Amino acid sequence: MTFDALSPQEVVEAVSKLGAHKGHMRLDKVFFSAVSAGCILAFACGTTLSTNATPWFQENAPGLMRTISALVFPYGLCMILLTGADLCTGSFMFTSVAALHRRLSWSRMLLHWAVTFLGNLAGSLFVVAIIFGYGNTFSAEPFKSAVISFATKKQVTPDFQMIFLRGIGCNWLVCLACFFGIQGRDLASKVIGIWLPTFAFVSLGFDHVVANMTFIPLGIWLGAPQITTSLYIWKGIIPTLLGNIIGGGVFCGTYYWYMYLLDLNTLPLYGEKRTRSSSLNSVLSSDRTSTKQPDVEASAADFDTQNPHMNK
């Protein structure tokens, strides 16, 4: 059995360095990275909607269908994190920690939030209009009715404050998925770490501002009678965005910075690798020793070295 992961302290240090790296990227690259993330998440939202297009199960076993949808949705976040694309909800944690750790200015953090939000919106609307819309992906029944019903339940039924609170819970879990994705040091560990918290937020019906960029505009495209663009902005963007900022920037970013980085300048990223042999002789000879290895997150670990002005 092999255990190979970063400690919680090392994860938060990596989050700080990655946040600084992301915050100082060229804005055109940030925008196109965010467009890519919006497109990828839109595909996962489409899979969720098609899974929900089961009238009998929706009528008789809605909890089962929500669980099944929650099991398939996380592939979107996995692809986003593993390809290094920028999702604004994850950036709320990354750049908040970097700013609190004085590796990134607050103005640069806010600029990064704005650019990633606009890029996510552009990518989501591209998939909604071009791929799903003109591609007639959801134009036939029962898929059309499923999309309209889902969007109506997201926008019309709940009150403003309900969506806001769901937004907090959503990005709290999404940023934990980012946390675990960094903590694992092999591909399988990263995927499992990302998958579980993402499954949790979808199964609970929480609101994700970028996911709503697909769910609600697609409902409008297909003619949802009670949803307008102004309603989407008022209840689909504003409360969800505010809740996601608090969930990611405060409940995750600020908390973990306070716990692990406050009063700490920097922390080397070594992690710990422990291998336990199935042979008794190997166990006795090794005495369960641990060895340190260089961090595989090289780009994050070398950020301070490559950018010495950030420590001033």
Side-chain angles (χ1 to χ4, degrees):
M1 180 178 69
T2 301
F3 170 84
D4 189 5
L6 297 176
S7 69
Q9 294 92 330
E10 290 172 317
V11 174
V12 184
E13 171 70 14
V15 167
S16 173
K17 290 181 176 179
L18 284 169
H21 176 72
K22 289 176 179 290
H24 286 91
M25 283 176 61
R26 282 172 39 184
L27 293 181
D28 60 320
K29 288 191 173 185
V30 173
F31 178 77
F32 287 115
S33 177
V35 169
S36 174
C39 292
I40 292 172
L41 198 68
F43 292 138
C45 292
T47 302
T48 299
L49 291 169
S50 65
T51 306
N52 278 317
T54 48
W56 188 91
F57 282 100
Q58 287 293 349
E59 180 107 4
N60 297 278
L64 174 63
M65 294 316 302
R66 178 185 280 187
T67 301
I68 294 174
S69 297
L71 284 171
V72 299
F73 179 83
Y75 80 78
L77 190 59
C78 286
M79 292 194 295
I80 289 168
L81 293 177
L82 294 177
T83 58
D86 283 289
L87 201 64
C88 67
T89 48
S91 293
F92 296 153
M93 176 183 71
F94 285 109
T95 55
S96 292
V97 173
L100 289 166
H101 206 195
R102 299 183 180 179
R103 286 186 167 126
L104 183 68
S105 68
W106 293 103
S107 60
R108 190 74 187 186
M109 179 193 77
L110 294 174
L111 179 61
H112 188 267
W113 288 7
V115 174
T116 52
F117 176 84
L118 293 175
N120 291 160
L121 181 61
S124 300
L125 294 181
F126 172 80
V127 172
V128 166
I130 306 302
I131 307 299
F132 293 162
Y134 290 117
N136 287 335
T137 307
F138 294 94
S139 60
E141 295 293 350
F143 303 103
K144 181 177 180 179
S145 296
V147 171
I148 293 174
S149 175
F150 191 90
T152 301
K153 291 176 182 177
K154 278 280 185 184
Q155 288 294 265
V156 179
T157 305
D159 296 328
F160 185 98
Q161 71 274 10
M162 296 177 184
I163 299 173
F164 168 73
L165 294 172
R166 293 176 189 177
I168 294 176
C170 169
N171 211 32
W172 192 346
L173 290 166
V174 168
C175 288
L176 283 175
C178 298
F179 187 102
F180 297 144
I182 292 174
Q183 189 164 30
R185 298 181 63 157
D186 61 89
L187 185 62
S189 298
K190 289 178 179 291
V191 169
I192 293 171
I194 296 167
W195 207 279
L196 295 177
T198 310
F199 161 77
F201 104 72
V202 179
S203 67
L204 291 169
F206 290 158
D207 281 270
H208 188 275
V209 68
V210 184
N212 282 355
M213 293 174 184
T214 297
F215 291 138
I216 314 307
L218 186 57
I220 296 173
W221 181 280
L222 294 174
Q226 296 176 278
I227 304 177
T228 62
T229 302
S230 59
L231 178 66
Y232 165 55
I233 294 172
W234 174 243
K235 291 179 70 177
I237 291 181
I238 296 175
T240 312
L241 179 62
L242 294 175
N244 288 170
I245 289 173
I246 293 174
V250 177
F251 283 72
C252 275
T254 303
Y255 168 75
Y256 289 117
W257 165 81
Y258 177 82
M259 293 298 295
Y260 297 121
L261 290 184
L262 183 64
D263 302 324
L264 180 64
N265 182 34
T266 188
L267 181 71
L269 303 181
Y270 292 112
E272 183 181 35
K273 182 174 182 180
R274 181 184 302 130
T275 302
R276 183 176 298 171
S277 173
S278 58
S279 167
L280 178 61
N281 291 332
S282 297
V283 173
L284 293 174
S285 62
S286 65
D287 194 29
R288 300 179 181 179
T289 57
S290 299
T291 59
K292 287 184 176 180
Q293 293 188 341
D295 175 44
V296 296
E297 309 287 352
S299 61
D302 295 339
F303 181 78
D304 285 343
T305 303
Q306 298 169 3
N307 300 270
H309 62 281
M310 288 303 300
N311 290 322
K312 295 182 180 179

